[in-house]
Amino acid sequence: MRVDLGELGFERGAHLLVQRALAQVPCGTAIEVVGHDPALAVHLAVWCRQEGHRVLPETSAGGLAGARVVRGRAAVDRWHGAERAGGPAPAETVASPPPHWGLAARGALVEAGGPDVLFGVTERSIAWADLAPRLYAHAAAAQWDPASAVPWDADFHLPDEVEDAVVQVMTYLVENEQAALVIPGRLLAQVHPHFREVLQLLAVQAADEARHVEVFTRRALLKGGQMGTSSAGGRASLATLVSEPDFTIASFLLSVLGEGSFLHLLSFLDRHAPDPVTRRITRLVRQDEARHVAFGMAHLEHQASLDPSLRARLRAAVERRHTALIDTAGLNRDVFDALVVLAAGSWTSTAIAHGYSAVQSLQAEMDEGRRHRLVRLGFPDDEAAELSMLHTRNFM
């Protein structure tokens, strides 16, 4: 085989043509390399030493300089012990990717010898959910822009007390969404990148929560007021979520119990929103949160099918959190009253009674939703009801 480099020198990529030609012949076979570059012989010899090939005596003919190059084994031996990192398709994930795969793309040929990169979650049974690839595709397609998706310039005016109620609820939602932003970000760093669809979904979930914080804050300040109050009990409840180190338990407490309850709260706010901006953002946020709950449920249902001890761990987590929060006040009273005002719609005694009843109905709907999801995870009805009652009074 003869490779004519023409005027191309090694300082401008000639090695690519030589390398391509050598790859087409067996080890120990010679090819001829010729060209017009005056430094060809010197540069070719240096490159061959670096790459493990052998150069035979220089030849020249017809004004061409060059040499014969015998292919060495270095390029072949480099990949001795290499292995495929599973396959690129979701169905080709492996049960337990090793640390030395590190950040290699799934399906890539991994050269032996690289450094170990340690991740907290390396078992498919813990990280994976079969629904993750489809949920990620849906999440990527369903992203919305706060600047254009919400009618911020809508013309409306609310009584001061009603606007104050909206601001208080928005403040509460920001606080909870900030916890929901931190948790998937922390979980994201734990998962081995071999399970990339899970990483992608958690990343989009974090982006969702960041967007929720933005729109709730923007609505709270829309009419020029100040943010509402933050209770010690509410922050204590959220702190128990943020501090939970276990991937599965954190996913359970946040997505299944907390965000699951928030789906009902967002539906409540949609029904009773006193202005078009509040109504629009609660609808948009609810779409995102429904996807988060779907992933949490899919993940836990997958793991429950593999680990019979999972339900005992989940129950222990609920009980542990309840005990930690038993002396706290639970839901911020300002938030409860604000929800009553929004549902009431006016300040008559009849309206306030209606609003109070609506908030109690909301709490009953939250309880029913939690029990339904717990039953789906395999808990008996009575145990699901008991665990739902132990869930934090702060909703999240």
Side-chain angles (χ1 to χ4, degrees), residues 128-150:
W128 191 250
D130 290 334
L131 196 59
R134 281 182 291 152
L135 281 177
Y136 170 68
H138 177 270
Q143 295 299 290
W144 46 275
D145 179 4
S148 58
V150 180

Side-chain angles (χ1 to χ4, degrees), residues 87-359:
E92 297 175 287
T93 55
V94 302
S96 183
H100 67 266
W101 285 4
L103 298 170
R106 195 170 68 220
L109 182 62
V110 181
E111 183 180 6
D116 286 356
V117 182
L118 302 179
F119 295 92
V121 179
T122 60
E123 300 298 323
R124 188 180 192 276
S125 60
I126 296 176
W128 191 250
D130 290 334
L131 196 59
R134 281 182 291 152
L135 281 177
Y136 170 68
H138 177 270
Q143 295 299 290
W144 46 275
D145 179 4
S148 58
V150 180
W152 299 110
D153 57 353
D155 184 19
F156 70 90
H157 177 76
L158 303 178
D160 290 344
E161 297 92 340
V162 177
E163 178 64 20
D164 289 344
V166 173
V167 169
Q168 180 58 62
V169 172
M170 293 297 118
T171 303
Y172 166 76
L173 291 174
V174 169
E175 186 172 90
N176 284 267
E177 295 288 16
Q178 287 182 157
L181 168 59
V182 170
I183 293 168
R186 181 169 54 79
L187 297 180
L188 177 64
Q190 296 183 35
V191 179
H192 196 296
H194 181 75
F195 308 112
R196 65 167 184 261
E197 291 84 357
V198 174
L199 292 184
Q200 292 166 323
L201 193 55
L202 288 171
V204 173
Q205 183 171 334
D208 289 343
E209 305 298 2
R211 190 168 58 242
H212 301 169
V213 170
E214 175 187 347
V215 297
F216 289 143
T217 300
R218 190 167 174 179
R219 173 59 188 93
L221 302 177
L222 187 61
K223 295 300 183 179
Q226 293 182 322
M227 301 294 283
T229 63
S230 170
S231 69
R235 295 196 309 278
S237 177
L238 296 176
T240 61
L241 283 179
V242 174
S243 62
E244 175 54 57
D246 185 273
F247 178 88
T248 298
I249 298 301
S251 178
F252 169 67
L253 294 176
L254 173 66
S255 298
V256 175
L257 296 182
E259 291 181 317
S261 297
F262 257 55
L263 290 179
H264 298 283
L265 175 59
L266 292 168
S267 294
F268 175 93
L269 294 174
D270 181 13
R271 291 194 302 271
H272 300 291
D275 63 86
V277 175
T278 300
R279 179 172 297 107
R280 179 60 175 163
I281 62 177
T282 54
R283 287 182 181 178
L284 289 169
V285 169
R286 192 183 188 284
Q287 293 172 9
D288 294 340
E289 297 293 356
R291 189 170 57 249
H292 304 170
V293 174
F295 171 63
M297 288 297 301
H299 164 68
L300 288 159
E301 286 177 313
H302 171 79
Q303 193 171 354
S305 68
L306 302 174
D307 181 8
S309 68
L310 175 63
R311 280 180 286 276
R313 291 171 52 212
L314 299 181
R315 179 186 180 93
V318 173
E319 293 173 340
R320 183 170 62 249
R321 189 178 185 210
H322 175 75
T323 299
L325 298 173
I326 197 167
D327 293 328
T328 63
L331 182 67
N332 184 350
R333 171 54 63 178
D334 294 339
V335 175
F336 183 93
D337 291 347
L339 293 174
V340 171
V341 170
L342 292 181
S346 72
W347 288 94
T348 67
S349 58
T350 301
I352 293 298
H354 170 75
Y356 195 94
S357 176
V359 175

